[in-house]
Amino acid sequence: MDVCIIGAGYVGLVSGACLAERGHHVVCVDLDPAKADIINNGTSPFHEPGLDELLAQCQGRLSATTDLASAVQNAELTMIAVGTPFDGSTIDLTYIRNAARQIGEALRGTDARHTVVVKSTVVPGTTANVVRPILEEASGRTVGPTLGLGMNPEFLTEGVAVRDFQNPDRIVLGGCDEASIDDLERLYESFAGVPFVRTNPTTAEMIKYSSNSVLALLISFSNEMAALCAAVGDTDASEVMAALHLSQYFAVPKADGGVAKAPITSFLEPGCGFGGSCLPKDVAALAAHGAALGVDMRLLSDVLTVNKEQPAKTVAMVADGLGGLGGRRVAVLGLAFKPDTDDVRESPAFPIIRQLVAGGAHVVAHDPVAIPTFSSAFGTDDAVTFEADLRRTLTGADAVVLVTRWDHYRELDTDLAELGADPFVVDGRRLLDPSRFNRFAAIGRSA
């Protein structure tokens, strides 16, 4: 199929590259001409493992442009993959509305069938009640024989987004009519053996929000259990969760006598809090959406409360271990909200560093790829130094705080031993072996 994708961010570009790899011809539209040039040169404007290689393979089947009208008019199907910022009370649909209007205007006066698909994460009812009337008014057409409309949520995890798209566990096809769903099914016909969920757009939107909310719920559940483990004493939340992972709910027997753990168990781990562009925003947006409809979303509100408390608990462990933060040098390891990405949106590193500085510490922060994006968002502070070399980051540190679960940090004990250093180590991601450190604290571990 000839496909147009409005938006060349994480969702739009990964989707475009993976669809092109499947044989479709894809044009990604972005307002930034510099980003379009980067993509047309076969590279990605952001860090995502495997994406550069995929873009290089797909040259000739994938391109980028700033000309939305031309891209839409030359496509059979247009995906909307633009941002949906959340202001704390409602999702900002400005970019969605603009995209729907511009697509409609590009289709006005044409008569070939064209299907518009919302890929962005939007609250239930957006496709049917916001996008549809704008699209129909701007195009002069009605959703039906020549104009399709659907919602196709993404389930991509940054850092493994290419793998997630290429190996989906389900594909949700939400269409306003059967013809729209059929168009979506044709787009994904090469994904043999993958369950297709044929439904309406509002249900598809709800599936996306429910999927992200349950992941956030599991993380906050783990952190609540971790707080209790630390208070009880003589117990470790990491051991508790490891045993929980072996439950038949989360694991299945293997032929060799072992067990295969479900991927969802990775969310059943205590830590310093979840971040990113999806979980915090989507949980908050769904809770606010429910409240606007008169539904008290108590559980989701508590999920967010537990998550917001985790950075402060992490900083408190540092302060307790050092006997105070004033004048101390603290190495913070990890700035991205998760490993294998340079995305720092809602990263717990922001509140952790700010609270360390507020306590009087000097922070030296390291990340394998996210220093430019983090430092740009954080701004300038004389009490914070960004250091690209891990050894220099650790040198002279009174404490080390692990914030992001990068593989680079698995051998922290070896790095410290080679430096002859013995700082107080706080593991905010339960990545490290406590027995390898003389002074150690971790989320969910009693003192």
Side-chain angles (χ1 to χ4, degrees):
M1 296 180 72
D2 291 317
V3 179
C4 168
I5 299 180
I6 312 300
Y10 285 93
V11 173
L13 187 55
V14 170
S15 299
C18 290
L19 288 172
E21 192 265 342
R22 293 273 174 162
H24 298 289
H25 287 84
V26 181
V27 177
C28 290
V29 178
D30 199 275
L31 294 174
D32 185 353
K35 182 185 288 187
D37 288 342
I38 292 171
I39 295 168
N40 286 329
N41 286 329
T43 57
S44 170
F46 50 83
H47 179 80
E48 181 62 40
L51 185 55
D52 277 345
E53 293 81 355
L54 202 57
L55 290 172
Q57 293 173 19
C58 295
Q59 285 193 310
R61 289 194 305 275
L62 182 143
S63 62
T65 182
T66 59
D67 189 345
L68 183 148
S70 176
V72 170
Q73 290 163 1
N74 287 293
E76 301 166 71
L77 182 146
T78 296
M79 281 186 171
I80 300 175
V82 297
T84 53
F86 180 64
D87 65 6
S89 59
T90 58
I91 286 288
D92 183 352
L93 296 176
T94 299
Y95 300 121
I96 293 285
R97 294 174 188 274
N98 288 344
R101 185 173 294 105
Q102 291 176 61
I103 293 167
E105 290 170 350
L107 293 175
R108 180 174 281 276
T110 64
D111 54 14
R113 179 169 176 82
H114 194 101
T115 298
V116 178
V117 180
V118 177
K119 194 76 172 172
S120 303
T121 299
V122 291
V123 292
T126 300
T127 301
N129 302 324
V130 177
V131 174
R132 180 171 183 166
I134 293 174
L135 181 64
E136 290 183 333
E137 179 183 7
S139 66
R141 297 200 208 176
T142 301
V143 171
T146 65
L147 181 63
L149 178 62
M151 201 281 160
N152 171 223
E154 51 83 17
F155 301 100
L156 307 180
T157 302
E158 289 180 38
V160 290
V162 171
R163 185 199 69 186
D164 283 351
F165 194 102
Q166 293 174 329
N167 301 281
D169 46 17
R170 80 283 203 198
I171 298 176
V172 178
L173 313 176
C176 287
D177 54 19
E178 289 300 311
S180 298
I181 301 176
D182 290 342
D183 289 339
L184 275 168
E185 191 163 308
R186 186 159 62 95
L187 180 70
Y188 291 107
E189 64 184 1
S190 65
F191 289 81
V194 179
F196 285 178
V197 180
R198 294 173 65 99
T199 186
N200 61 58
T202 302
T203 300
E205 291 159 349
M206 191 68 200
I207 290 170
K208 168 62 177 179
Y209 270 98
S210 298
S211 298
N212 278 356
S213 293
V214 75
L215 299 181
L217 172 65
L218 291 177
I219 296 171
S220 285
F221 166 80
S222 302
N223 282 329
E224 192 161 276
M225 293 301 102
L228 183 59
C229 287
V232 167
D234 197 28
T235 186
D236 190 324
S238 185
E239 294 181 25
V240 173
M241 291 300 148
L244 187 62
H245 294 174
L246 298 176
S247 161
Q248 64 179 343
Y249 300 117
F250 301 112
V252 294
K254 291 167 49 177
D256 61 5
V259 295
K261 295 193 297 183
I264 201 170
T265 57
S266 65
F267 293 88
L268 277 168
E269 294 283 3
C272 55
F274 58 77
S277 62
C278 294
L279 297 192
K281 183 191 77 170
D282 292 353
V283 175
L286 191 59
H289 192 61
L293 295 173
V295 179
D296 185 3
M297 310 291 283
R298 295 186 299 275
L299 183 58
L300 292 188
S301 296
D302 288 343
V303 165
L304 294 170
T305 298
V306 171
N307 190 60
K308 289 178 181 177
E309 293 171 349
Q310 294 309 113
K313 290 181 178 179
T314 306
V315 173
M317 284 192 292
V318 180
D320 289 345
L322 295 179
L325 296 173
R328 300 290 193 162
R329 178 184 171 97
V330 180
V332 171
L333 305 186
L335 301 172
F337 84 93
K338 68 182 296 293
D340 298 315
T341 180
D342 61 352
D343 193 347
V344 300
R345 286 174 288 183
E346 300 293 331
S347 170
F350 284 106
I352 286 173
I353 291 176
R354 290 187 179 114
Q355 291 173 35
L356 287 169
V357 170
H362 177 80
V363 172
V364 183
H366 175 273
D367 190 282
V369 302
I371 287 177
T373 52
F374 188 94
S375 60
S376 176
F378 188 85
T380 302
D381 190 316
D382 292 340
V384 180
T385 301
F386 296 101
E387 176 55 68
D389 183 89
L390 179 57
R391 296 296 179 89
R392 286 200 293 267
T393 303
L394 298 173
T395 300
D398 298 299
V400 177
V401 187
L402 194 153
V403 176
T404 310
R405 200 181 174 88
W406 284 98
D407 280 341
H408 295 65
Y409 305 141
R410 288 185 181 276
E411 304 302 322
L412 178 61
D413 57 311
T414 301
D415 293 324
L416 291 173
E418 291 177 357
L419 289 171
D422 186 27
F424 179 61
V425 175
V426 174
D427 186 355
R429 290 300 179 191
R430 302 313 307 263
L431 179 71
L432 308 172
D433 181 352
S435 66
R436 295 180 178 272
F437 302 91
N438 293 324
R439 296 183 295 152
F440 184 88
I443 299 288
R445 177 182 167 86
S446 55

